[in-house]
Amino acid sequence: MSKLAIELKKLLLVVLALWTFVPWGSCAYAQATSNSKEQATKAPDGKQRTVSGTVRDEQGEELVGVPVSVGNGHAVAVTNDKGRYTLKVPTSACQLKFTYVGMKAEQISLPSGTKDLTRDIVMKDNNTLHDVVVTGIFSKARESYTGAVSTISKEELKLHKGQNLLQTLKTIDASLNFQVNNLAGSNPNNLPQINIRGNSSLPMSVAEFNSATSTSVNTPLIILDGFEMSLEKLMDYNDEEIESINILKDAAATAIYGSRGSNGVIVVTTRQPEAGKLRIQAEVGVDIEAPDLTSYDYLNAKEKLELENALGLYSADYIPNDFNFQEHYNTKLSRVLSGATTDWLAKPVRTGVGSHYNVRLEGGSNEFRWAASMNYKNTEGAMKNSHRNSFNGSIQLVYTLKNIKFKNYTTFGLVRSQESNYGSYSQYVAQQPYDIPYDENGQLVQKFEPFLGPSQGDLGRANPLYDAELNTINKSGHETLTNNFSIEWKIIPDLTLRGQFGISRLTNDSDYFLPAEHSTFTTGSQYQDDEGFLRRGLYRYGTGNGYSYDGNVNLAYSHVFADKHQLYVGADYNIAANDNLSYSFTAEGISDSDNPFLGNARQYYKNGTPSGTKGKTRRIGFTGNVNYTYDSRYYVDLSYRVDGSSTFGAEKKWAPFWSTGIGWNVHNEKFFKANPILSILRLKASIGEVGSQMGSGSGANTIYNSITNSKYMTWVGSQLTAWGNPRLTWQTTFSSNFGLEFGMLKGRLKGEFNYYTKKTSNLLSSMDLPSSMGWNSYIANIGEVRNRGWELSLTGYPIRDLKHDFTWMMTGQLVYNKNWISKLSDAVKAQTEAYREQDVEVANLFYEGMPQNAIYAVKSLGIDPSTGKELYLDRDGNVTDTWRAGDKVFCGQADPKYRGNFSNVLRYKGWTLNFTFSYYWGGYTYNSTLRDKVEVSINALKSQNVDRRALTDRWMNPGDVTFFKGYEEDQTRATSRFVMKDNVLELSSLSLQYRWDSKFVRNNLRMQSVTFGLNCNDLVHWGSVKQERGTSYPYSRNILGSVRLLF
Amino acid sequence: MKEIKKFNSAFRNMNIKIKNRQVVGFAFIICTLAFSTMLTSCNNWLDVRPETEQKEEDQFSTEKGFEMALTGCYLQMASQSGYGLQMTMTSVENLADLWRINPNTTRLGERDLALHDYTTDNAKSTVKGIYTNLFKTIAQASLIIKNAKANPEVFTENRMYNIILGEAYAIRAYCQLDVLRLFGQMPNNPQKLVSLPYSEATSIDEIPAYYDFNEYTAKLQSDIETAEALLEDSDPATQYPYNRTYATGEVYEKNSFLMYRQMRLNYWAVRALHARMALYTGDKEAAQSIARELIAATLPDGTAVRALSGKKDYISGYMTCPNECYFSISKYDVKEYTVNYFTDNKDNVVSSYGVNQYAISMNMLADLFDGENIASHNRYANLWNQRLKDGEGTLWCGFCRYCYDDDVPNPNLYYQLIPMLRTSEMYLIAMETSTDLTEINQLYTEYMDSHNVALPTPFSSLEEVSTWIENEYRREFYGEGQMFYTYKRLSETNILWAKTQADENTYIIPLPETEYDPATVKK
């Protein structure tokens, strides 16, 4: 026993030592072994023999131009136009490797001997149907998997490469639903909202919903090599490190994640190091962000002035005023006629030119493999000075000792992001085109003169460029260090035990600085007196850190009994914990604007207090999975998970989740085998229940909080913060899925269809209490949301001419989803009713039976041609010209019903062309451009520029039949007139790649291949709604050029 | 390079030695150990909270936790929607129409309370704030009661158990009495009967039940008597004078949590509360006996528990009468926020009177002291700053009870407090409940002496006494939130300075709309 312990201790030490020696030690080791391999290729005795054969695909067609390599060296032969290869190999045992674009690499072992050999090869398609499904906990054969899952390969990632990994995923898979964020546009620092198969969580209260803080409740769980990671980390992840991404959609797939699985799971698998001679892969690229301002159509200085004058803004009843105003108009007019006009749209934007660099080194022997990679990416946003820089470095080690495999993966990530100091784009759009930001001397003016000329008390409007030119700072950053370690032990060939442990540390900080010259201080009344003057200049600093660990033990057994009964049993035990804390504080009185340093501040913010958060969560899960397949025809799948979490009530700490599914491989039936058309036909169905840990908060326990900011005599106290609800339980989602997969015409056409339903019950919401309980509500499980829909994907090869190495692949996806609230808490209902009764205007309303994202507006009957006023239909069915919030009716759902994409990949020899269209339709949008930029009130014209339609399409005179009302004082309120069908078609991705691997490259440049790539994203947008896109930050067209070198 | 190769080969040789069987055995042991320890401790392991938070059972697992929770109750009581402001100086005083409200005020809820229009949204939300705060305090007191009873072993000594539990009962009773006084039916000859919640809730499943006046009073009495029984022998205030529990030189009490008894609901305070409750609910005999008992009460060393000390206090500028308070709320920042409501200038320097500030007019001051000898009256001289000027130059009287100079010594003992129960009230109770004119006049003389009025004209009839007492409540407890209840107890139809006649609807504040009786909700 003690001897064993010593041995194990040594082993551990060695593993640790090895890890610290990387990359140099292992690099040398790899070099050494691969050199010896190379010698082996030439054979010590110099004797050789011939190997030949034909390479075909699964449909039996010969594959042309497949490189064949010996061992792990360079390709030494290529298949000819009949798919045949011939090459000489040494007489000792060796391996042949066949690689081909779009196909899985094949490897065969040749025994030692002197006889010539014939080996025919069948290569399998890389992307679908035959793969293994990686669920992050268990790996399962797709042939017997009942879950709905879509797989994205690294090739697809390269073809669709976008601004960041999330943008890339958006163009590839339509089942990932990205919420359109018209406000944030193409801001590289914006984290998008994603959901899979519709929203399944409700915000806690109507107020919370309206404040749009509920961004994260529907975000899917993201798993990287078995460990949870954040959406932001995925966004910044180095896509070159990814082998594949599996998106688990239904309960059968996500039940193994129990409480965290209800929003779907994105499982990312990193590339494993390949054994062999040192391979170096390098990439250099340019990333261009070109602003797309085509949705903006604004009046120029002359037109704007014309509109203002036509509406009588420069006239008055009182003659002396009238005279003054007209004079002011004439001054403006003469200035405009002499050419004074400003293109404000262009002021804060630029064509951002960023870059990215990637290096990956890998090698080693079969026993010991390693990879090291580094990636730097600098995205320069379309607004000036906005950028996001990320660095990722990783070291991966794999050591195989007989039947034990050790893996260690260390990554370090660093992100620095900065928001544009130009602020919101919308304030530039609003500027008057006749205002000139610079004076005669080329100096920035601080203020523009008031609309009707200088007058007492009106100092005019601030020039946004003035603040923008100051040294303001708005940046943040974070660093993550993660280490994941795993041991996999094949106890017997059928039984594998795996242990994993991951540890991660995150630190972050943020800086916000407003220099003393900023308009906040020059105009703010509290900064004008002596004391206020010294308070000018503000610095807000925030910092925090997080620490988490995650470990699991996993046992998997699979065995085939009597050739027909295939059994798989898996068990997993998982624990995880997370600690985090953050602080922030503000200081003021920094007079030296060129030196924005916190230490230069005069004092803390007046009456300000430091703020901070501290959190701690823990979770335990037990998972089991059984899969039984009979004769490769019928299979049944069972998953069960028990989850415990610190965020739930004392009485409900543990919750069970489950799923079950059945499947039938029709194509393996005897009667079907003879079928000449269909080669694959699989039917599957599953049901299950999963949960969501999101938004649970601390509602379960009656919590006391220490009061730190007050005292009673010399004592400090603790107070109750809220009543706990010990019965609070997990929000659970019951879902079902019916799927069909098929392949036909020798694999020329493949497809998958899934129909699903999803019911989320126990939704968390507030429950009212009488005031005599002291607190007005507590958190309870109330309400239910349902989603129903289907997903269809088809892949076909119109041309698959392997002889000429020419293929054309078309892939299309169509997704339909219907979402509605099926049950609501009485509290929410009562609140909604109260709002309606009291005509309180709320941005979003909830009703049972209606979609979660719905548009409510007052029914409009159009513009009365005689008065130019809008007519409405009130709740009693009367025509009225008064708008009341209580008259709002349902006008359509805000989410599109159908979404999809359609992509074409053309390959000819080394060339690959891809173009992808994305589309969605069936939803509605409230066109706020019309409200804010066209149907503005007459007073608003005095302070902002407007859309062209404000000049051309508005009611002016009695008898005008127009879509837009006449000019008046009142703002247009929510009206059905502005609710429009939102149908969109986008050319979301266009890419061209050329892979250059001629003899010249191999011999003269000493490289295996050079790949040139050009990726363009968001090129063209056709929409049924004419509205401004990207109001706070413009949309941009993203163009990436890159060169990838493989040594 | 060579070393590395050597190292690698050594590494390989060494590892091959490990036998599979040994590994299996070892791994099995590790797994079993790991699983068994983790399974048993899973529930504990999952029990984590952020450091600034405590779960109820953890809070009450130590004596310190009980102390902090009790302090939390007083802090809740002392909040501005409670006795820190609204229950003493503003809302409740506005109900008694004590303040002149500027027509342009933006404190619309307070204005509507003064107009006795309880139907407006502003009035409702103001009332709801007060109501919720009272019940927040009550709920926390109930939680202390529940947990103390459940874990008496947590306390280091029986005395601590008695004191903490007794104070919790007293806090609950104090707040519930004011719920009754604000929202309940008229204590005398009620036409409209009102049932009210008496909260003993300690979880969401115990929504307070409603009780009619007699049942409610019985519950109040029971809580008060329980508190008295618990505190009587354990409270240090029954052993030493209040000032000895904190005096810098001679400290009688070593446990710092048991110092400053006058800032907590001690035994004497609970007795005084008992007298107040008895008087309000019509038990004049009990009120009389307790008030007399308190006036005469002495400590083992023979010193009086409390004596009228207005005279001395006002000379020292202690306008909160700290030395006659059985119980006062400690509020270290009282001056900071009351400035927004009352002028902060107690020196007779002209200061401006804002739209949202409360004051009284010169005529109101004259009404207030009508019939009194104002020549030496220390309330008249010190509580009112008569040189307050509005924008038009009109003079007003500013209220100065909570003003003090920045450099005074021991502000937390003499200035930063809000009186809750004091000896003056006991004198008034004793006088009101007595039928013996001689006795009344004797008390009256002592009482007026503390107001620096020597040899006042004796009363010649009981009617005279009751009229004077009603007016004296107004003069004496200005800004302490007692006048509305006095009017209500006396069923007064003419509230001084009110725009309308008062009736039951004036005195019974409607419960918030978010309040409901669980008995009527459950089908």
Side-chain angles (χ1 to χ4, degrees), chain A residues 266-342:
Chain A
I266 298 176
V267 180
V268 182
T269 313
T270 55
R271 273 169 71 180
Q272 296 299 304
E274 279 183 47
K277 205 183 123 187
L278 172 69
R279 269 159 62 99
I280 302 173
Q281 188 186 311
E283 189 190 335
V284 179
V286 187
D287 307 29
I288 297 170
E289 295 274 321
D292 174 8
L293 306 178
T294 48
S295 63
Y296 287 94
D297 186 11
Y298 273 68
L299 298 180
N300 61 29
K302 188 157 169 276
E303 292 163 334
K304 181 72 202 303
L305 203 57
E306 183 192 320
L307 176 66
E308 286 168 2
N309 195 38
L311 290 168
L313 292 179
Y314 294 104
S315 55
D317 292 340
Y318 183 56
I319 302 298
N321 276 355
D322 189 59
F323 180 77
N324 278 342
F325 293 170
Q326 278 299 318
E327 197 175 70
H328 187 69
Y329 168 71
N330 290 331
T331 328
K332 264 190 200 169
L333 185 64
S334 68
R335 216 166 59 205
V336 167
L337 290 177
S338 68
T341 180
T342 309

Side-chain angles (χ1 to χ4, degrees), chain B residues 378-389:
Chain B
N378 53 19
R379 269 65 170 170
Y380 181 86
N382 293 297
L383 273 183
W384 301 100
N385 166 18
Q386 301 180 26
R387 301 189 63 198
L388 194 63
K389 235 180 208 174

Side-chain angles (χ1 to χ4, degrees), chain B residues 344-450:
Chain B
D344 64 335
N345 205 322
K346 73 183 180 69
D347 302 322
N348 288 337
V349 174
V350 175
S351 59
S352 62
Y353 170 39
V355 168
N356 278 325
Q357 285 191 317
Y358 298 130
I360 59 171
S361 68
M362 299 303 261
N363 288 338
M364 287 162 86
L365 185 70
D367 289 347
L368 189 61
F369 286 92
D370 185 28
E372 292 295 298
N373 175 4
I374 58 172
S376 61
H377 202 293
N378 53 19
R379 269 65 170 170
Y380 181 86
N382 293 297
L383 273 183
W384 301 100
N385 166 18
Q386 301 180 26
R387 301 189 63 198
L388 194 63
K389 235 180 208 174
D390 67 8
E392 287 157 8
T394 314
L395 282 175
W396 298 86
C397 302
F399 181 61
C400 300
R401 193 186 295 280
Y402 302 104
C403 314
Y404 59 88
D405 290 336
D406 287 329
D407 54 354
V408 292
N410 291 329
N412 59 343
L413 290 178
Y414 301 111
Y415 303 92
Q416 297 165 345
L417 54 91
I418 297 154
M420 301 283 272
L421 285 159
R422 50 192 178 98
T423 316
S424 293
E425 189 177 344
M426 295 307 116
Y427 269 84
L428 294 181
I429 291 173
M431 286 159 77
E432 186 177 338
T433 50
S434 171
T435 47
D436 179 352
L437 261 181
T438 329
E439 190 191 6
I440 292 171
N441 279 324
Q442 186 213 329
L443 288 165
Y444 177 59
T445 311
E446 283 174 35
Y447 179 88
M448 286 317 291
D449 184 54
S450 77

Side-chain angles (χ1 to χ4, degrees), chain A residues 463-684:
Chain A
N463 176 4
L465 280 181
Y466 184 83
D467 280 346
E469 293 292 315
L470 297 172
N471 184 26
T472 55
I473 294 174
N474 185 0
K475 63 179 185 184
S476 61
H478 61 256
E479 284 124 57
T480 342
L481 182 65
T482 307
N483 191 70
N484 296 342
F485 177 71
S486 76
I487 304 178
E488 197 175 299
W489 176 28
K490 265 203 183 328
I491 305 171
I492 51 169
D494 289 338
L495 184 64
T496 311
L497 178 68
R498 195 182 61 196
Q500 279 185 299
F501 190 74
I503 189 161
S504 177
R505 168 112 185 144
L506 169 94
T507 53
N508 58 47
D509 52 79
S510 65
D511 296 86
Y512 180 79
F513 171 66
L514 287 182
E517 293 80 19
H518 197 269
S519 57
T520 310
F521 307 113
T522 51
T523 57
S525 58
Q526 70 271 43
Y527 295 105
Q528 303 313 317
D529 59 4
D530 288 352
E531 187 207 353
F533 208 82
L534 290 169
R535 292 181 56 206
R536 289 182 179 191
L538 174 144
Y539 203 111
R540 188 180 309 130
Y541 179 74
T543 182
N545 61 58
Y547 164 77
S548 64
Y549 63 83
D550 191 329
N552 69 335
V553 182
N554 184 302
L555 193 68
Y557 174 78
S558 77
H559 192 76
V560 182
F561 299 93
D563 277 353
K564 281 195 170 171
H565 310 278
Q566 192 185 334
L567 181 69
Y568 175 91
V569 182
D572 185 85
Y573 165 64
N574 166 251
I575 56 163
N578 185 334
D579 279 270
N580 62 69
L581 79 119
S582 70
Y583 303 108
S584 101
F585 55 91
T586 311
E588 61 182 9
I590 302 172
S591 48
D592 184 359
S593 306
D594 296 329
N595 211 346
F597 176 58
L598 191 59
N600 289 349
R602 199 171 163 268
Q603 64 197 41
Y604 285 109
Y605 191 72
K606 194 180 177 188
N607 297 332
T609 53
S611 65
T613 56
K614 199 164 183 181
K616 200 180 233 179
T617 56
R618 285 179 180 171
R619 147 174 76 71
I620 297 179
F622 299 92
T623 314
N625 177 249
V626 180
N627 183 284
Y628 168 74
T629 311
Y630 173 72
D631 199 18
S632 301
R633 284 184 286 163
Y634 313 106
Y635 52 98
V636 53
D637 218 351
L638 273 166
S639 299
Y640 188 81
R641 177 165 178 130
V642 183
D643 246 335
S645 167
S646 63
T647 56
F648 273 86
E651 292 168 27
K652 295 273 183 183
K653 273 239 132 71
W654 298 90
F657 303 97
W658 58 272
S659 79
T660 177
I662 49 166
W664 181 23
N665 285 321
V666 188
H667 57 269
N668 287 340
E669 295 285 353
K670 276 192 198 97
F671 65 84
F672 201 83
K673 285 263 161 94
N675 184 321
I677 303 164
L678 278 165
S679 52
I680 295 169
L681 182 62
R682 177 178 301 137
L683 298 170
K684 57 191 184 183

Side-chain angles (χ1 to χ4, degrees), chain A residues 119-138:
Chain A
R119 290 283 187 273
D120 289 343
I121 306 296
V122 176
M123 293 187 79
K124 287 174 179 171
D125 259 13
N126 201 354
N127 43 1
T128 44
L129 302 178
H130 293 280
D131 271 346
V132 160
V133 176
V134 181
T135 61
I137 297 181
F138 306 112

